[in-house]
Amino acid sequence: MINTLFLPELREMLAEGNAEELSEFCTALHPARTAEFMEGLERSEAWRVIQHAEQGLRAEIFSYFGHDRQLEMLEQEDETQVAQLLNAIPADDAVDLLSGIGEERVKRLLSLVPTADRRDIMRLQSFEEGTAGSIMTTEAACIDEKLTVREALDQLSRQAEKLETIYYIYVLDETKHLRGVLSTRMLVSAIGKPDTTVGELMDTDIVTVHPDDDQQQVAQIVAKYDLLAIPVVDEQRHMLGIITHDDVIDVVLEEATEDVQRIAAVDPLEDSYIRTAILTLAWKRGMWLGILFVGALLTAFALRYYEGDFEAYGWLVLFIPLVIGSGGNSGAQSSTLIIAAMATGDVKVTDWFKIVTRELATGWLLGLFLAALSFVPAVLLAPDQWAALVVPATILLVVLCGTFSGSALPLVFSRLGWDPALMSNPFVAGINDILGIVIYVAIARLILG
Amino acid sequence: MINTLFLPELREMLAEGNAEELSEFCTALHPARTAEFMEGLERSEAWRVIQHAEQGLRAEIFSYFGHDRQLEMLEQEDETQVAQLLNAIPADDAVDLLSGIGEERVKRLLSLVPTADRRDIMRLQSFEEGTAGSIMTTEAACIDEKLTVREALDQLSRQAEKLETIYYIYVLDETKHLRGVLSTRMLVSAIGKPDTTVGELMDTDIVTVHPDDDQQQVAQIVAKYDLLAIPVVDEQRHMLGIITHDDVIDVVLEEATEDVQRIAAVDPLEDSYIRTAILTLAWKRGMWLGILFVGALLTAFALRYYEGDFEAYGWLVLFIPLVIGSGGNSGAQSSTLIIAAMATGDVKVTDWFKIVTRELATGWLLGLFLAALSFVPAVLLAPDQWAALVVPATILLVVLCGTFSGSALPLVFSRLGWDPALMSNPFVAGINDILGIVIYVAIARLILG
């Protein structure tokens, strides 16, 4: 729902060129709300409004515009103004945005950005998507360990306005090696002892990550240690940048969505659902549907192989969907539970024995329950009660196979270094389809002779 | 993997009662690592070690022990020491822990906790699980708006050590109404202007939540506004507490796991997978398997209704799993994509027209692709090429039905106020099973006469 409350006033202010009121509009509210109130404006109107905010605030308001609007602004608006904006937004966000617009334009814009910022942006551009390097920001609060608490506070005060976060302060030596870390809270606590030095206060046991580390791993570390930010260092412990808590929440959300997509047999979308082109969507779904399709085709040939049995006992055909479905559903439950538990770190591959025995135990309970449920309709549709036993006996075995393969396959794939979320469900489905038919016919032959 | 590096030394220190070295061990490392190094100790040994840390640090190290060990400590160790610990950990965490131990013990422990903390804990206990109130902490940095920057820093310094977070400072009036908020970064930036007052610096446009708000909604707000903490206020804007960024990450992870479980037709587990009892696991899976089972049973009766058709054209039976599977898989893809996009706020129910048309367009592409794939085996298994056309025609229609029902049902359930993640997949599966059979027979009759 677009908020139209301020639109007429804003347009009037723009028409009059009323700089004072426009600048007041920009400062009065939380930047996120300011951006919301401008949703109904044309792109170029919104751009003109935020030119009346001072640089830092302008970048903040801009960060709350929709992604498409942001890209259009970078692409279309005045180059000098855009370069100023790029200069004010965190380098990691700038890299993200620049990857969405034309190369020629990027070159021209970067040539207008001050050298130091340009270098930061270009360095970040070199890290692969999904790594710690790609989500870090190069700007962090840094001080010298010889400073006293009072001096450190003064220096921090001068850095505070330019930085995305000042809640950890990093202590570097002359060659940019990371020596220690100090939280602003520790520094503020020490105000009563103004002559203490930073070196005395700082922690030297620092949790760090490398730029090539996987972003999901980084998120897990940050969640485990309850950090607000984590420093990124190279092999020689040179400080490269920090990853802040808000980027970590974004990573957690992004990875969760991707896992869900993989579980539903969709190759992870790079963009949001609604922004993904139909052809891309069809491709990312079609490839896995194709694999599942081949599995189901094999089932068709298995059925053909047993055609004689199904012709002799026609009523067996009625329960084919039930048999296949029971194995598939219980297998999908198992594999999904195990994949989710591995993703959050609840279980590891080394817990395999415990996991598989738990799943087999659960499989017995579920199998007996579904077998009992299936006996009634089986008696109704089969020629006699003895023959009807084929159905519950099959269901029990099929559910056991489902929970076993559903728990074992993610562990095996994970052990082989393959992505269990991506591989497990199609394989579990395929295996259970065929096994279901084989078990069904084997039991029918045993009971019906 | 349990780290055994320090175990012999720690045990020796304990045996000797070497208070100095034990207290050094507790302070030397990050509390999370200190806790890790003690994993190999017996519960009571670890408890004795942390008694050598000062109260705040002791609570921090304790927070990194495993959940089971924490509960055992609260249950078994000396009551006075445990009460001291409860006093030092944030009230929201204390409430979580106390809910896991015996009522009698809780009463005795609470009677040993200072009155103010006891009241905090008991107030938090009254909020329902999953609400903002249940994850908030009652301790926040608060100052008076008449203070100058210098005075505010001094006061913050005195509060800093006791508090979980000091990165936002809340300005309350005499009756505890929330008047404004100031970030520590703003305060530190203003060190150069020491006579400015808090009232002049503070923001009065504050994003707040109510204690009864859903925790997932809170997490979305925090992520949207990139906050480190969010205040919880009642109807009259009295400040009740704050929710901090680490609790928000936990909520995001918890809700993502629950959504994945719902999508796999598992009723969300309250505990981690590995800690859930087998019977609970079987119950939470069995109820949904039962519902899916009923859907598949209806398919059995549908097949029975069409028995004559399948007897006349026996080869049609071979493709039943393929037909049902194609509808089910493409439907599950659609509903899962829509559910995930709604959970992250990418799409809303009001976007229904766009969503359904996108899914139908994708459905055409996927349907044509799978239909083409199916034509070859159909020619191999059917009596002639004309008859073989039944299979691709059915697959195309079934995939269209799958993507349509898979996109429409989550929207309908969401509009009705039901949980789309929980309801959609079983219903989509059930509907597509039956529709698949109906479409198959209808097309067979049309083509085969």
Side-chain angles (χ1 to χ4, degrees), chain A residues 107-348:
Chain A
K107 264 189 213 153
R108 281 201 309 280
L109 287 173
L110 281 182
S111 70
L112 295 169
V113 168
T115 323
D117 289 288
R118 180 164 66 237
R119 213 171 336 155
D120 282 348
I121 290 176
M122 288 170 74
R123 182 156 13 119
L124 289 186
Q125 279 178 328
S126 68
F127 293 109
E128 230 175 292
E129 192 143 344
T131 63
S134 74
I135 54 168
M136 77 181 182
T137 174
T138 47
E139 292 143 2
C142 297
I143 49 174
D144 191 281
E145 62 178 302
K146 288 182 223 81
L147 295 186
T148 63
V149 166
R150 195 193 307 268
E151 291 164 337
L153 265 174
D154 282 340
Q155 205 179 89
L156 185 64
S157 169
R158 283 192 293 275
Q159 297 183 27
E161 251 184 85
K162 284 197 324 249
L163 295 173
E164 198 179 335
T165 172
I166 60 152
Y167 301 117
Y168 294 119
I169 311 157
Y170 299 94
V171 182
L172 308 182
D173 66 12
E174 310 78 51
T175 53
K176 298 235 168 192
H177 282 93
L178 181 59
R179 300 256 306 133
V181 66
L182 184 69
S183 70
T184 302
R185 168 221 197 108
M186 283 154 69
L187 189 63
V188 167
S189 298
I191 287 182
K193 302 169 275 183
D195 296 323
T196 320
T197 66
V198 167
E200 289 167 286
L201 283 175
M202 72 185 185
D203 258 333
T204 52
D205 181 48
I206 318 169
V207 187
T208 60
V209 292
H210 290 291
D212 297 325
D213 287 350
D214 185 79
Q215 61 176 11
Q216 188 164 16
Q217 219 177 313
V218 174
Q220 277 178 6
I221 294 174
V222 169
K224 178 176 167 194
Y225 289 97
D226 284 347
L227 299 173
L228 287 166
I230 193 166
V232 184
V233 298
D234 67 11
E235 308 289 304
Q236 289 83 42
R237 264 182 105 72
H238 289 112
M239 172 109 171
L240 302 175
I242 57 171
I243 297 171
T244 52
H245 72 105
D246 52 319
D247 293 320
V248 169
I249 291 190
D250 291 345
V251 166
V252 168
L253 282 173
E254 187 186 317
E255 298 279 346
T257 305
E258 286 189 2
D259 270 354
V260 167
Q261 290 170 351
R262 287 194 193 96
I263 287 168
V266 178
D267 217 52
L269 308 181
E270 270 139 44
D271 218 330
S272 74
Y273 166 75
I274 205 78
R275 278 213 304 270
T276 304
I278 303 260
L279 269 178
T280 315
L281 204 56
W283 164 248
K284 289 187 173 261
R285 294 166 62 163
M287 54 198 272
W288 287 103
L289 279 186
I291 292 173
L292 286 166
F293 196 84
V294 172
L297 257 189
L298 294 177
T299 316
F301 284 96
L303 284 173
R304 152 99 164 194
Y305 182 77
Y306 294 125
E307 219 166 6
D309 298 87
F310 286 106
E311 263 163 27
Y313 306 99
W315 64 274
L316 286 178
V317 169
L318 306 180
F319 292 98
I320 290 176
L322 198 67
V323 165
I324 290 182
S326 300
N329 291 329
S330 51
Q333 284 186 335
S334 297
S335 62
T336 307
L337 282 173
I338 309 300
I339 291 164
M342 285 200 288
T344 54
D346 277 342
V347 302
K348 297 187 200 70

Side-chain angles (χ1 to χ4, degrees), chain A residues 383-415:
Chain A
D384 59 66
Q385 291 177 16
W386 177 246
L389 273 180
V390 174
V391 178
T394 305
I395 298 274
L396 173 61
L397 265 180
V398 160
V399 170
L400 276 173
C401 278
T403 54
F404 176 75
S405 60
S407 54
L409 280 180
L411 296 169
V412 170
F413 288 138
S414 185
R415 183 77 185 73

Side-chain angles (χ1 to χ4, degrees), chain A residues 163 185 273 276 358-359, chain B residues 163 185 273 276 358-359:
Chain A
L163 295 173
R185 168 221 197 108
Y273 166 75
T276 304
R358 278 172 68 87
E359 284 303 306
Chain B
L163 294 174
R185 169 221 197 107
Y273 166 75
T276 304
R358 279 173 68 88
E359 283 304 305

Side-chain angles (χ1 to χ4, degrees), chain A residues 28-30 32-33 36 64 153-154 156-157 160-161 163-167 183-185 188-192 205-207 222-228 245-246 248-249 252-253 256-257 260-261 263-266 269 272-274 276 278-279 281-282 285-286 288-290 292-293 296-297 299-301 303-304 307 314-315 317-322 324 326 329-330 332-334 336-338 340-341 344 346-347 354-355 358-359 361-362 365-366 369-370 373-374 377 380-381 395 403, chain B residues 28-30 32-33 36 64 153-154 156-157 160-161 163-167 183-185 188-192 205-207 222-228 245-246 248-249 252-253 256-257 260-261 263-266 269 272-274 276 278-279 281-282 285-286 289-290 292-293 296-297 299-301 303-304 307 314-315 317-322 324 326 329-330 332-334 336-338 340-341 344 346-347 354-355 358-359 361-362 365-366 369-370 373-374 377 380-381 395 403:
Chain A
L29 300 166
H30 189 289
R33 295 207 188 152
E36 251 174 54
Y64 291 108
L153 265 174
D154 282 340
L156 185 64
S157 169
E161 251 184 85
L163 295 173
E164 198 179 335
T165 172
I166 60 152
Y167 301 117
S183 70
T184 302
R185 168 221 197 108
V188 167
S189 298
I191 287 182
D205 181 48
I206 318 169
V207 187
V222 169
K224 178 176 167 194
Y225 289 97
D226 284 347
L227 299 173
L228 287 166
H245 72 105
D246 52 319
V248 169
I249 291 190
V252 168
L253 282 173
T257 305
V260 167
Q261 290 170 351
I263 287 168
V266 178
L269 308 181
S272 74
Y273 166 75
I274 205 78
T276 304
I278 303 260
L279 269 178
L281 204 56
R285 294 166 62 163
W288 287 103
L289 279 186
L292 286 166
F293 196 84
L297 257 189
T299 316
F301 284 96
L303 284 173
R304 152 99 164 194
E307 219 166 6
W315 64 274
V317 169
L318 306 180
F319 292 98
I320 290 176
L322 198 67
I324 290 182
S326 300
N329 291 329
S330 51
Q333 284 186 335
S334 297
T336 307
L337 282 173
I338 309 300
T344 54
D346 277 342
V347 302
K354 190 164 181 195
I355 295 171
R358 278 172 68 87
E359 284 303 306
T362 314
L365 292 172
L366 293 175
F369 167 61
L370 294 184
L373 275 188
S374 71
L380 288 175
L381 299 173
I395 298 274
T403 54
Chain B
L29 302 166
H30 188 289
R33 294 208 187 151
E36 250 174 56
Y64 292 108
L153 265 174
D154 282 340
L156 185 62
S157 169
E161 254 185 79
L163 294 174
E164 199 179 335
T165 171
I166 60 153
Y167 302 118
S183 70
T184 301
R185 169 221 197 107
V188 167
S189 299
I191 286 180
D205 182 47
I206 318 167
V207 186
V222 169
K224 177 176 168 195
Y225 290 97
D226 284 346
L227 299 173
L228 287 166
H245 71 106
D246 52 322
V248 169
I249 292 189
V252 169
L253 283 172
T257 306
V260 168
Q261 291 171 349
I263 285 167
V266 178
L269 308 181
S272 74
Y273 166 75
I274 206 80
T276 304
I278 304 261
L279 269 179
L281 204 57
R285 294 165 64 164
L289 280 186
L292 287 165
F293 197 86
L297 258 189
T299 316
F301 284 95
L303 284 173
R304 152 98 166 198
E307 218 166 6
W315 63 274
V317 168
L318 306 179
F319 291 98
I320 290 177
L322 199 68
I324 290 183
S326 300
N329 291 329
S330 52
Q333 283 186 336
S334 298
T336 306
L337 282 173
I338 309 299
T344 54
D346 277 343
V347 301
K354 189 162 182 197
I355 295 171
R358 279 173 68 88
E359 283 304 305
T362 314
L365 292 171
L366 294 175
F369 166 61
L370 294 184
L373 275 188
S374 69
L380 288 176
L381 299 174
I395 298 274
T403 54

